[in-house]
Amino acid sequence: MNGINGHDADISDFSHAKGQHFLIEAFKVIFEEAICKATDVNEKVCDWHDPEQLEELLDLELRDSGESHDQLLSRVRDVAKYSVKTNHPRFFNQLFSGLDYHALAGRLLSETLNTSQYTYEVAPVFVLMEHVVLTKLISMVGWPSGDGLFCPGGSMSNMVAMNVARYHAFPQMKQQGLWALPRLAVFTSQECHYSVMKAAAFLGIGTDNVFHVKTDQSGSMDPQDLEVKIMLARSQGAVPFFVTATSGTTIRGAFDPLETIADICEKHCLWMHVDAAHGGSVLFSKKHKHLVKGIERANSVTWNQHKMLTTGLQCSAFLVRDTANLLQKCHCASATYLFQQDKFYDMSLDTGDKTIQCGRKVDCLKLWLMWKAVGTKGLAERVERALSLTRYLAEAIKKREGFQLLSEPTFVNTCFWYIPPSLRGKENSADYQDRLSKVAPTIKEQMVKEGTMMVGYQPLNGQVNFFRMIVISPQTSQRDMDFCLDEIERLGKDL
Amino acid sequence: MNGINGHDADISDFSHAKGQHFLIEAFKVIFEEAICKATDVNEKVCDWHDPEQLEELLDLELRDSGESHDQLLSRVRDVAKYSVKTNHPRFFNQLFSGLDYHALAGRLLSETLNTSQYTYEVAPVFVLMEHVVLTKLISMVGWPSGDGLFCPGGSMSNMVAMNVARYHAFPQMKQQGLWALPRLAVFTSQECHYSVMKAAAFLGIGTDNVFHVKTDQSGSMDPQDLEVKIMLARSQGAVPFFVTATSGTTIRGAFDPLETIADICEKHCLWMHVDAAHGGSVLFSKKHKHLVKGIERANSVTWNQHKMLTTGLQCSAFLVRDTANLLQKCHCASATYLFQQDKFYDMSLDTGDKTIQCGRKVDCLKLWLMWKAVGTKGLAERVERALSLTRYLAEAIKKREGFQLLSEPTFVNTCFWYIPPSLRGKENSADYQDRLSKVAPTIKEQMVKEGTMMVGYQPLNGQVNFFRMIVISPQTSQRDMDFCLDEIERLGKDL
Ligand SMILES: Cc1ncc(COP(=O)(O)O)c(C=O)c1O
Ligand SMILES: Cc1ncc(COP(=O)(O)O)c(C=O)c1O
């Protein structure tokens, strides 16, 4: 550790010694606040403040002059203190939660190395690593080979899927744009993730050209209605080209029937994409992988490891069952300053032109290191543990008075209403639905303000606000499930 | 630190104590290898290995069983060891380099907190912080107000710009797709970043509909030719809607004449976007901000803080001079599970629906913490230091025999040829260009294999391969500039 790194002080006054000292002290604070306290079940999940209050507490303004070491350290502490602890065992609010220490170590290393995943030249380790990880995921999907890349989130992966499918069907679109093509039609279920709509809008296809296929009672796509919608689109003069099936829907965790959908896609020559952002990780489990039976017949798959596998944001694999360099052809722009064709190594290692990005963060390392740490078996156990904990929760809900499941959970999403005593037995009164719809938001407000736990809620298909509890973290237990139900009861019993 | 976090061991066998121990040990390794060694001028920038060799060294394969603590630590060490040290004072290969310790502390904290930047509910601190940072950037651009968000890279910011402009001109496209619109035309310079092409392809506009405006000798857009190209597009029946001017081109660091371009955009009612991914940071410097004079007349701006400001990947601000909620209208999908309309706080704080993403990493903290640490003044000094170091380099090149500038640098990009003694005075021989084109790649190969430094090269507009050296890192000095030229001479003198 040389203070000025072998340079004369008058040339560069940048002090490594001071910087390194700060970093070490900051890491101690991060460790205490954002790891030890954040994962401690006896601490709060969040320390709620109104925006005005929080603004005052934080003093966010950026000024001309810098601050002292101590001031900066207390800023690190405050940011941690007032942030929501997604690593907390009682954070069930999103499709990610929990802390994997090895994945976190991988993230810290990626951040420190700070390179971009585009060429072997600047990311030799990560070009090879991404390939190994993607190849492993591809084999788990059940394809003999394929291609892929990590995208900044599942929404982007879904967009990329739509674009690749479009290019595959109409390669001229890359140059000529959509004006050279007939009106295209996209199919997905009513309970798909909203990124399908965002993709259609962004890619110039338009949300009107997304046909929403009905779902059954459990939230899975009704394949008969898919056929109906394909006919409908055709009758309107649109050209169907793309179906997104969902494996693990966002709200209910439902799985679309992939085999039947694959039959329909084959019959109509449509690109079959599986949005397994949430549910893809069941591929680890012998016991549960039947949920995605038929996924190997898909043309492409989105699979977020930052959800179920707790790698940390972001880690979303886009996988494609193609071996003819489709990704590259679809996305390449052949920049000569990055992808020189006269390099001294195999240029196919410069994978960056397969993406729509230029600089791209290294997303593979966190997953790789975690996988090395616990092995495929360890990851399988975690998936199974999460599903069995969800089972436990569902059974507990069934046993409790005043709790009602929306439908049996098939995955790690448990959707349920809490019905306060004042509403029980009043199902037929005129204002029942209206009053019930206010229960979850009110309880949510209380839990957040007290900071005891976090669980999401939303309405769906005309059904009023219900809780959606997501069990993913390897650090949660049956005790946390029971706590959660007790807490909802405590907060809601007088409503 | 409680080993099982207050849970019975039989319920969750997840050990916090073991995990935390690993994390602390891993951080030590990261600190040594990826910080101390990586920034030490006496160590190598890269430790080159052929892919086959490196694969063997790394043993990347993912297996059924996990590995031991010690094995995993040595994996952390190896990943660091064999990775390119972009923090090294002699890494001049990309538009990012250098290590800011406060920004890194911010990155480590973001990674540890692992939340998603979409709602106040799960990211209270970061929703407020992003707003403050963006507001500050907006005021630096010179707008009284505006809107914005951080995107996963400048390419995405440029895509978002194109989509927002399109929506602004033709809001019906979101629902109806491009078929409801006339053929659109986009304008940018020949030396623009390739993300403009990628955006046109991805958004369904098509690369044929991107009109490339000529550049002058220094690489700036020729505004007269912009007018010509607008007419050309119209004469072909296309509808011009979008101009991307570049402030700081990727290869030469040129700045397009924004005032004149703004006049033309106003005249023709076109959306003016400024891709200041690379050059935007001159806004910090009183001395150099004239380079982006007129930027305040743009409708939108891309500005990457992960380039010139060394925040670390990724930090790219997309800014828009709009106060009518255009971003939200253009991108929203109103997911009820995330953006509930019956929340107990001001729902305008849930900014996530402004983006095309769903989960979004927190990119503001690293910039904010660095800014707090050195102040606006400190950042201004860094920008000025980088430009004056570039000046030093350019002057040194002019003084050296065998070195030839492509053009005078205006920013931090220095483009030059090294002409080995065997080629000097042979400018008129038939194979001169051909032989010269091989010089940079050969020297590059040598420097990478020896690991002494990293500098990029590429051809441009019929000019054969030249070096492009980017001076950004606050940790480089004049000594490093001299070293670089000496080294090129050493490696190339016998070619
Ligand atoms: C089914 C599904 N697909 C895609 C996504 C989008 O993933 P991301 O948040 O990584 O963009 C989600 C996110 O919740 C999802 O549930
Ligand atoms: C002028 C310009 N715009 C945009 C970009 C893209 O930025 P990113 O790599 O963050 O996608 C670059 C990257 O080099 C650039 O030089």
Side-chain angles (χ1 to χ4, degrees):
Chain A
M1 257 190 249
N2 49 347
I4 49 161
N5 197 23
H7 288 135
D8 299 345
D10 63 318
I11 295 180
S12 166
D13 65 353
F14 192 97
S15 165
H16 283 281
K18 268 172 76 179
Q20 290 173 357
H21 175 59
F22 178 77
L23 192 69
I24 288 171
E25 295 295 306
F27 183 72
K28 282 185 201 155
V29 174
I30 293 171
F31 190 81
E32 256 171 57
E33 294 287 332
I35 295 178
C36 296
K37 276 199 203 163
T39 56
D40 186 343
V41 76
N42 301 312
E43 297 278 340
K44 284 183 173 187
V45 179
C46 59
D47 186 1
W48 169 265
H49 293 274
D50 284 327
E52 298 73 29
Q53 253 185 318
L54 188 55
E55 250 165 11
E56 255 181 56
L57 286 168
L58 291 171
D59 172 34
L60 292 165
E61 209 188 311
L62 299 165
R63 303 195 178 82
D64 279 352
S65 302
E67 298 188 344
S68 71
H69 176 92
D70 290 346
Q71 270 177 309
L72 292 164
L73 272 187
S74 74
R75 295 207 174 274
V76 169
R77 192 177 298 278
D78 284 350
V79 167
K81 178 168 160 40
Y82 297 114
S83 286
V84 169
K85 309 303 183 299
T86 68
N87 300 330
H88 194 282
R90 287 173 187 165
F91 179 82
F92 307 102
N93 209 68
Q94 313 296 142
L95 302 189
F96 61 90
S97 66
L99 172 62
D100 181 276
Y101 290 96
H102 297 97
L104 178 56
R107 266 136 64 202
L108 302 188
L109 180 53
S110 304
E111 291 296 328
T112 309
L113 288 169
N114 192 41
T115 198
S116 170
Q117 176 97 43
Y118 39 42
T119 60
Y120 187 76
E121 187 176 321
V122 298
V125 173
F126 303 123
V127 162
L128 299 180
M129 188 183 282
E130 186 176 56
H131 180 74
V132 168
V133 174
L134 290 171
T135 303
K136 186 81 181 176
L137 298 176
I138 284 167
S139 78
M140 289 178 72
V141 166
W143 297 332
S145 56
D147 200 357
L149 39 93
F150 284 100
C151 292
S155 300
M156 293 308 306
S157 295
N158 285 343
M159 274 196 195
V160 165
M162 203 182 281
N163 191 46
V164 167
R166 177 171 71 172
Y167 176 81
H168 183 252
F170 305 97
Q172 69 273 32
M173 65 78 35
K174 187 175 176 183
Q175 276 83 47
Q176 298 173 26
L178 286 179
W179 298 282
L181 269 54
R183 184 158 76 89
L184 301 177
V186 167
F187 303 83
T188 188
S189 93
Q190 280 171 344
E191 299 193 26
C192 76
H193 188 254
Y194 68 84
S195 51
V196 180
M197 300 297 276
K198 293 211 177 196
F202 200 68
L203 297 184
I205 290 171
T207 53
D208 285 354
N209 293 314
V210 179
F211 289 77
H212 286 285
V213 181
K214 282 186 204 153
T215 49
D216 67 15
Q217 294 226 318
S218 72
S220 308
M221 188 191 281
D222 169 1
Q224 274 191 312
D225 193 53
L226 174 57
E227 291 257 27
V228 171
K229 293 288 152 61
I230 292 170
M231 296 310 159
L232 176 67
R234 289 224 171 98
S235 74
Q236 295 176 354
V239 174
F241 81 109
F242 184 74
V243 175
T244 290
T246 312
S247 291
T249 57
T250 312
I251 299 179
R252 290 208 267 171
F255 287 77
D256 289 348
L258 302 184
E259 289 282 16
T260 326
I261 293 169
D263 291 339
I264 296 170
C265 288
E266 266 171 33
K267 179 173 145 201
H268 296 280
C269 289
L270 307 180
W271 182 284
M272 176 174 166
H273 174 64
V274 177
D275 176 0
H278 184 32
S281 299
V282 297
L283 282 164
F284 276 94
S285 159
K286 287 209 181 72
K287 194 165 155 199
H288 299 294
K289 67 194 267 186
H290 67 91
L291 290 167
V292 292
K293 198 159 172 289
I295 196 170
E296 71 286 354
R297 296 175 62 191
N299 297 91
S300 59
V301 170
T302 291
W303 177 2
N304 282 12
Q305 288 74 31
H306 74 234
K307 296 194 192 286
M308 181 92 219
L309 294 186
T310 68
T311 59
L313 291 164
Q314 286 182 332
C315 194
S316 172
F318 171 70
L319 306 172
V320 58
R321 195 188 65 195
D322 160 84
T323 53
N325 225 6
L326 183 62
L327 268 181
Q328 172 82 18
K329 288 183 210 152
C330 179
H331 293 142
C332 73
S334 309
T336 52
Y337 77 96
L338 211 48
F339 308 113
Q340 298 90 333
Q341 293 306 300
D342 47 11
K343 281 187 180 175
F344 62 93
Y345 59 80
D346 174 3
M347 268 93 66
S348 75
L349 291 164
D350 290 354
T351 48
D353 218 15
K354 286 186 187 179
T355 83
I356 55 167
Q357 299 186 271
C358 173
R360 184 161 64 100
K361 281 186 74 89
V362 171
D363 289 334
C364 57
L365 173 58
K366 52 199 164 198
L367 175 56
W368 180 83
L369 194 62
M370 178 177 79
W371 205 321
K372 280 285 191 192
V374 300
T376 312
K377 270 195 296 194
L379 294 176
E381 277 162 23
R382 285 198 198 168
V383 170
E384 293 181 356
R385 186 175 178 285
L387 271 98
S388 77
L389 215 46
T390 307
R391 251 306 92 230
Y392 174 87
L393 175 67
E395 295 308 320
I397 285 174
K398 286 193 219 166
K399 277 184 230 142
R400 288 216 184 200
E401 221 195 313
F403 284 79
Q404 191 184 325
L405 283 176
L406 194 79
S407 50
E408 279 293 333
T410 39
F411 188 38
V412 294
N413 307 34
T414 308
C415 296
F416 61 95
W417 287 280
Y418 171 68
I419 299 145
S422 68
L423 278 178
R424 292 180 202 161
K426 308 254 167 70
E427 290 77 5
N428 298 324
S429 69
D431 61 351
Y432 178 82
Q433 294 297 330
D434 192 45
R435 285 174 64 193
L436 183 59
S437 76
K438 298 199 173 75
V439 171
T442 310
I443 294 176
K444 175 69 178 260
E445 175 171 357
Q446 285 316 310
M447 75 172 79
V448 168
K449 289 191 169 164
E450 297 193 17
T452 49
M453 64 179 186
M454 283 182 76
V455 182
Y457 74 86
Q458 67 284 297
L460 180 74
N461 302 339
Q463 294 187 288
V464 299
N465 283 324
F466 50 86
F467 288 110
R468 179 197 68 166
M469 185 154 158
I470 306 290
V471 177
I472 281 179
S473 165
Q475 293 120 24
T476 47
S477 66
Q478 294 184 2
R479 212 197 273 192
D480 296 311
M481 304 298 109
D482 294 334
F483 174 87
C484 239
L485 300 182
D486 289 346
E487 187 67 1
I488 287 174
E489 221 164 70
R490 180 179 75 83
L491 297 170
K493 65 178 187 309
D494 298 327
L495 293 179
Chain B
M1 260 191 248
N2 50 345
I4 46 162
N5 197 24
H7 289 135
D8 299 345
D10 63 316
I11 295 180
S12 167
D13 65 355
F14 191 96
S15 164
H16 283 281
K18 269 172 75 176
Q20 290 174 356
H21 176 59
F22 178 78
L23 192 68
I24 287 171
E25 295 294 307
F27 183 71
K28 284 187 200 154
V29 174
I30 293 171
F31 190 80
E32 256 171 58
E33 293 287 330
I35 295 178
C36 296
K37 277 201 202 165
T39 57
D40 186 343
V41 77
N42 302 310
E43 297 277 340
K44 286 183 172 187
V45 179
C46 58
D47 186 0
W48 169 265
H49 293 273
D50 284 328
E52 298 73 27
Q53 253 184 317
L54 188 55
E55 251 166 10
E56 254 181 56
L57 285 167
L58 290 171
D59 172 34
L60 292 164
E61 209 189 312
L62 298 165
R63 304 196 177 81
D64 278 352
S65 302
E67 297 188 346
S68 71
H69 175 92
D70 290 346
Q71 270 176 310
L72 292 165
L73 272 187
S74 73
R75 296 205 172 273
V76 169
R77 192 177 297 278
D78 284 349
V79 167
K81 178 169 163 36
Y82 297 114
S83 285
V84 170
K85 308 305 184 298
T86 68
N87 299 331
H88 194 281
R90 288 175 186 163
F91 179 82
F92 307 101
N93 209 71
Q94 312 295 143
L95 303 188
F96 61 89
S97 66
L99 172 62
D100 181 276
Y101 290 97
H102 297 97
L104 179 55
R107 266 135 64 204
L108 302 189
L109 180 53
S110 304
E111 291 296 327
T112 309
L113 288 169
N114 192 42
T115 196
S116 170
Q117 177 95 43
Y118 39 43
T119 60
Y120 187 79
E121 186 176 321
V122 298
V125 173
F126 302 123
V127 162
L128 299 179
M129 187 183 283
E130 186 175 55
H131 180 73
V132 168
V133 175
L134 290 170
T135 302
K136 187 80 181 179
L137 297 175
I138 283 167
S139 79
M140 289 178 72
V141 166
W143 297 332
S145 56
D147 200 359
L149 39 93
F150 284 99
C151 293
S155 300
M156 293 309 307
S157 295
N158 285 343
M159 274 196 195
V160 165
M162 203 181 281
N163 191 47
V164 168
R166 177 171 70 173
Y167 176 80
H168 183 252
F170 304 98
Q172 70 273 34
M173 64 78 37
K174 187 174 176 182
Q175 276 83 48
Q176 298 173 26
L178 286 179
W179 298 282
L181 270 51
R183 184 158 75 88
L184 300 177
V186 167
F187 303 84
T188 188
S189 94
Q190 280 170 345
E191 299 193 26
C192 77
H193 187 255
Y194 69 83
S195 51
V196 180
M197 301 296 276
K198 292 209 176 193
F202 200 68
L203 297 185
I205 290 171
T207 54
D208 286 353
N209 294 315
V210 179
F211 289 77
H212 285 286
V213 181
K214 283 187 205 150
T215 49
D216 67 14
Q217 293 225 319
S218 72
S220 307
M221 186 190 282
D222 170 1
Q224 273 190 313
D225 193 52
L226 174 57
E227 291 258 25
V228 172
K229 292 287 153 60
I230 291 171
M231 296 310 157
L232 177 67
R234 289 226 171 98
S235 75
Q236 294 177 354
V239 174
F241 82 109
F242 185 73
V243 175
T244 291
T246 313
S247 291
T249 58
T250 312
I251 298 180
R252 292 209 266 169
F255 287 78
D256 289 349
L258 302 184
E259 289 283 16
T260 326
I261 293 169
D263 290 340
I264 297 170
C265 287
E266 266 172 31
K267 180 173 144 198
H268 295 280
C269 289
L270 307 181
W271 183 282
M272 176 175 167
H273 174 64
V274 177
D275 177 0
H278 184 31
S281 299
V282 297
L283 283 164
F284 277 94
S285 160
K286 285 208 183 70
K287 196 167 154 195
H288 299 294
K289 67 193 265 189
H290 67 90
L291 289 167
V292 291
K293 198 161 171 290
I295 196 170
E296 72 285 355
R297 296 175 63 192
N299 298 93
S300 58
V301 169
T302 292
W303 177 2
N304 281 12
Q305 288 73 32
H306 73 235
K307 296 196 193 284
M308 182 91 218
L309 294 186
T310 69
T311 59
L313 292 163
Q314 285 181 336
C315 194
S316 174
F318 171 71
L319 307 172
V320 60
R321 194 188 65 195
D322 161 85
T323 52
N325 224 5
L326 184 63
L327 269 181
Q328 172 82 18
K329 287 182 210 151
C330 177
H331 293 143
C332 73
S334 309
T336 51
Y337 76 96
L338 211 47
F339 308 113
Q340 299 91 331
Q341 294 305 302
D342 47 11
K343 282 187 179 177
F344 63 93
Y345 59 81
D346 173 5
M347 268 93 67
S348 76
L349 291 164
D350 290 354
T351 50
D353 218 16
K354 288 186 184 180
T355 85
I356 55 167
Q357 299 186 271
C358 172
R360 186 161 63 101
K361 281 185 74 86
V362 171
D363 289 334
C364 57
L365 173 59
K366 51 199 167 200
L367 174 57
W368 180 83
L369 194 61
M370 178 177 79
W371 205 323
K372 280 285 190 190
V374 300
T376 312
K377 271 195 296 192
L379 294 176
E381 277 162 25
R382 285 197 196 168
V383 170
E384 294 183 356
R385 187 174 180 284
L387 271 97
S388 76
L389 215 45
T390 306
R391 240 331 70 234
Y392 174 87
L393 175 68
E395 295 308 322
I397 285 174
K398 285 192 219 167
K399 276 184 230 141
R400 290 214 183 199
E401 222 196 312
F403 283 80
Q404 192 184 322
L405 282 177
L406 194 79
S407 49
E408 280 293 335
T410 38
F411 188 40
V412 293
N413 306 34
T414 308
C415 296
F416 61 96
W417 287 281
Y418 170 68
I419 299 146
S422 69
L423 277 179
R424 293 181 201 162
K426 308 253 169 72
E427 291 75 8
N428 297 322
S429 69
D431 62 349
Y432 178 83
Q433 293 297 329
D434 192 44
R435 286 173 62 193
L436 183 59
S437 76
K438 298 199 173 77
V439 171
T442 310
I443 294 176
K444 175 69 178 259
E445 175 170 358
Q446 285 316 310
M447 76 171 79
V448 168
K449 288 190 170 165
E450 297 194 17
T452 50
M453 63 179 187
M454 283 182 78
V455 182
Y457 75 85
Q458 67 284 300
L460 180 74
N461 302 339
Q463 296 189 284
V464 299
N465 282 325
F466 51 85
F467 288 110
R468 180 198 67 167
M469 185 153 158
I470 307 289
V471 176
I472 283 180
S473 165
Q475 292 120 24
T476 47
S477 66
Q478 293 184 1
R479 212 195 273 192
D480 297 311
M481 303 298 108
D482 295 334
F483 174 86
C484 240
L485 300 183
D486 290 345
E487 187 68 2
I488 287 175
E489 220 164 72
R490 180 179 76 82
L491 296 170
K493 68 177 186 305
D494 298 328
L495 293 179

